Amino acid sequence: MNYKSTRSTTHATPSQAILNGLAPDGGLYVPKTLMALPLESCISKTYQEIAEMIFAYYFDDIPHDALMDAITSAYNTHKFSHPKITNVRSVDETTHLLELFYGETAAFKDQALSIYPYLIKASMDLHHTRHLTILTATSGDTGKAAMEALKDVNGLSIAVLYPQHGTSTMQALQMQTQDGNNVFPIGIDGDFDDAQQAVKSFFSAHSDLSISSANSINIARLLPQVIYYYDALSRLNPSTPVDIYVPTGNFGNALAAYIAKEMGCPIRKIVICTNDNNVLYDFFTTGVYDIQKRHLVKTHSPSMDILVSSNLERLLYFMFKDERKVSNWMKSLNEHQMFTLDQNELDEIKTVFDAQHMSNSQTESTIVSLFESKGILVDPHTATAFPQTPSKHPKIIVSTASPYKFPNVYRACFHLDSMSDFDILDYIEAHSQEFYPEHLKSLRDKPIKHQTFIPKDEVEAVLLDFIAKEEHA
Ligand SMILES: *Cc1c(COP(=O)(O)O)cnc(C)c1O
């Protein structure tokens, strides 16, 4: 299996693409061909068995034993508090929630990041890489999941940039209390786009350093996300293709659904769900991606507070298979903060994608009405993915985080004004059926270990320092 860049004919083996993260021309790696995997091959298979089929195809230069070892070490009941790794839960006859928050950090990022260290170590072994520093921008969930996965792993260190005032309090606490001798969470005075931009600039300025990324620009993040679509659909085994509603930020999760569809998974439409930072909603309805006059706003769903959605570039490549076009669109986005599809291109995109967006107050009322009518409490990201227009098609709503990560939103929803965050979580535990993950409960008494907060323009120097120190540790 070979990977190529979205912007040129540059190519790489799976292990090289995993180690590099971003292609040298600034593009993203995509597999040259997609696996054909009919759903029938997945019926009655476990999550781990489906993972094996998918990984054997996409990561075929990693020895099969190493892949098997990665799968058994990552997807087990020590790391996931659900025996099937994810949960499919019915809301009504045609609507199912795909709950992806049973991993160690209670967000769907664990589905890929739990296996990421094993894939990266196997790739380092193949290329005799002694030490690698992982640099990651986070809107709240990736950073924690990546540090938890990589803590104290030999030969690896990790620095995480997060918006100091942009995450939920629980997300910040999760990062600031992180254990491990090789981890470094850094709060910056900016938003997620600033963090992602700082990481991307660092990569282009320091291509000589031994660094990689745990963001969904890395194929080792993206491809493991295909597993849960097959796994969920094999459990439902629907008679007609289903619609997938995905709460979307950096477009990794939605792209994984698209890849599954292209591989033969019975998916009808993919609905891109956004909050008030609805640049993707506009793009999928008008074909114009325009951030010229936009400012990121803070919403109830902080992990979707993103304007520059990296993985969209991969979708454009998959849909139009034209490196020149993709390069020009990305150049235009970079230089003019916008790019535009023509009508034919937009029509083609619309054959697969729909979009919706929800304001904060709509998110609140969705949470409350679902709780009152069905007794189900969803997190604010998942809430944005509840269908706004009724449809009789069978559908899966991707549930991306545990409600216990976002107490402040329930303060507003259920009028719990005088309660502290942790009191609200106790209240939720007492009044709902949702399970309270132990590692979130224990945050209340966990000592803060990391309090580095820096202005954006100091990121480069601070990262260089960290990398130098870790390489000699
Ligand atoms: C990361 C995240 C998202 C957005 O996912 P993308 O793959 O970046 O589109 C949505 N919800 C939660 C809870 C997340 O952590």
Side-chain angles (χ1 to χ4, degrees):
M1 162 80 336
N2 247 302
Y3 288 79
K4 69 175 297 298
S5 167
T6 47
R7 297 190 195 176
S8 71
T9 52
T10 302
H11 56 93
T13 61
S15 58
Q16 276 167 342
I18 291 173
L19 289 179
N20 290 354
L22 211 61
D25 59 7
L28 304 186
Y29 287 113
V30 285
K32 273 195 177 159
T33 52
L34 292 181
M35 177 188 194
L37 182 63
L39 189 66
E40 296 81 74
S41 315
C42 299
I43 304 287
S44 307
K45 293 242 165 55
T46 62
Y47 196 91
Q48 294 82 350
E49 287 166 338
I50 297 172
E52 184 188 347
M53 290 191 280
I54 293 176
F55 290 170
Y57 182 88
Y58 288 112
F59 304 133
D60 64 353
D61 70 335
I62 297 179
H64 198 75
D65 306 355
L67 285 181
M68 290 311 292
D69 180 52
I71 290 167
T72 42
S73 311
Y75 301 136
N76 61 50
T77 47
H78 300 288
K79 298 228 166 112
F80 288 85
S81 56
H82 194 286
K84 291 188 170 168
I85 310 300
T86 71
N87 188 38
V88 179
R89 180 175 181 181
S90 292
V91 180
D92 59 40
E93 262 167 37
T94 56
T95 313
H96 304 275
L97 278 167
L98 170 55
E99 294 181 335
L100 302 176
F101 51 74
Y102 293 95
E104 287 181 299
T105 72
F108 86 91
K109 305 300 196 290
D110 292 322
Q111 303 303 133
L113 282 163
S114 57
I115 199 151
Y116 172 81
Y118 302 98
L119 296 174
I120 217 142
K121 284 292 272 189
S123 304
M124 288 168 74
D125 287 348
L126 279 177
H127 295 270
H128 311 289
T129 309
R130 192 189 60 84
H131 185 270
L132 196 62
T133 302
I134 308 299
L135 305 179
T136 291
T138 186
S139 54
D141 289 327
T142 292
K144 172 64 188 179
M147 288 190 289
E148 192 59 36
L150 294 174
K151 70 174 181 212
D152 295 327
V153 176
N154 256 330
L156 290 167
S157 308
I158 173 162
V160 165
L161 297 180
Y162 67 94
Q164 187 187 341
H165 304 291
T167 70
S168 84
T169 44
M170 296 296 283
Q171 289 174 320
L173 260 187
Q174 279 187 299
M175 290 190 276
Q176 291 165 5
T177 57
Q178 178 65 48
D179 302 319
N181 287 319
N182 58 344
V183 303
F184 188 25
I186 305 163
I188 64 160
D189 74 335
D191 55 36
F192 172 76
D193 289 321
D194 296 320
Q196 179 154 264
Q197 190 47 48
V199 170
K200 282 186 179 165
S201 320
F202 195 90
F203 275 108
S204 28
H206 300 285
S207 52
D208 53 318
L209 292 175
S210 186
I211 50 180
S212 187
S213 162
N215 283 110
S216 52
I217 55 174
N218 196 309
I219 56 159
R221 269 290 303 284
L222 183 64
L223 293 166
Q225 296 184 173
V226 173
I227 304 165
Y228 48 75
Y229 289 110
Y230 270 99
D231 178 54
L233 277 159
S234 73
R235 283 194 243 172
L236 291 171
N237 198 6
S239 49
T240 56
V242 301
D243 291 343
I244 310 273
Y245 287 72
V246 195
T248 305
N250 222 4
F251 205 74
N253 208 353
L255 185 72
Y258 174 79
I259 292 175
K261 178 175 164 62
E262 290 297 291
M263 287 166 63
C265 199
I267 293 170
R268 194 184 73 103
K269 285 239 161 164
I270 299 163
V271 185
I272 303 306
C273 307
T274 67
N275 59 26
D276 274 335
N277 295 300
N278 54 4
V279 59
L280 284 175
Y281 171 81
D282 286 352
F283 177 72
F284 282 96
T285 45
T286 65
V288 183
Y289 198 100
D290 186 353
I291 53 172
Q292 292 177 93
K293 291 186 205 71
R294 278 180 179 269
H295 292 284
L296 204 69
V297 292
K298 282 214 258 178
T299 72
H300 283 343
S301 38
S303 301
M304 293 155 61
D305 289 346
I306 293 175
L307 292 181
V308 183
S309 199
S310 291
N311 275 298
L312 188 65
E313 176 170 347
R314 280 195 172 106
L315 177 72
L316 295 172
Y317 179 79
F318 280 126
M319 297 229 60
F320 307 114
K321 299 275 167 22
D322 185 336
E323 298 86 1
R324 288 259 309 276
K325 257 189 189 168
V326 174
S327 304
N328 287 338
W329 283 323
M330 292 304 125
K331 192 160 167 251
S332 168
L333 183 60
N334 210 6
E335 288 171 6
H336 311 291
Q337 283 72 54
M338 71 167 298
F339 67 91
T340 308
L341 304 187
D342 68 27
Q343 190 59 45
N344 289 339
E345 290 158 348
L346 177 62
D347 290 345
E348 203 167 327
I349 285 203
K350 281 187 173 174
T351 61
V352 183
F353 292 93
D354 276 337
Q356 65 174 34
H357 79 92
M358 254 193 217
S359 66
N360 273 352
S361 63
Q362 288 170 310
T363 307
E364 286 174 24
S365 54
T366 302
I367 290 173
V368 172
S369 78
L370 189 70
F371 184 67
E372 287 176 349
S373 64
K374 304 276 176 192
I376 296 173
L377 187 70
V378 292
D379 98 287
H381 302 75
T382 307
T384 66
F386 270 75
Q388 282 178 313
T389 39
S391 98
K392 50 186 185 342
H393 289 284
K395 50 190 118 19
I396 287 179
I397 294 165
V398 185
S399 183
T400 48
S402 161
Y404 290 88
K405 288 188 112 167
F406 305 97
N408 56 313
V409 177
Y410 305 117
R411 182 178 290 119
C413 289
F414 300 110
H415 312 292
L416 308 173
D417 303 309
S418 58
M419 286 192 196
S420 73
D421 283 349
F422 282 101
D423 289 344
I424 291 175
L425 298 185
D426 290 341
Y427 178 91
I428 293 174
E429 188 182 28
H431 291 85
S432 79
Q433 306 164 24
E434 314 309 323
F435 113 106
Y436 193 167
E438 203 45 53
H439 47 84
L440 290 180
K441 208 179 247 186
S442 63
L443 275 182
R444 193 173 211 153
D445 305 312
K446 233 179 155 203
I448 302 267
K449 293 186 170 170
H450 305 277
Q451 279 196 302
T452 302
F453 304 113
I454 59 170
K456 282 182 281 193
D457 57 9
E458 286 176 22
V459 167
E460 184 176 24
V462 169
L463 288 180
L464 283 172
D465 235 38
F466 176 69
I467 293 166
K469 185 180 105 240
E470 291 295 306
E471 283 188 346
H472 298 107

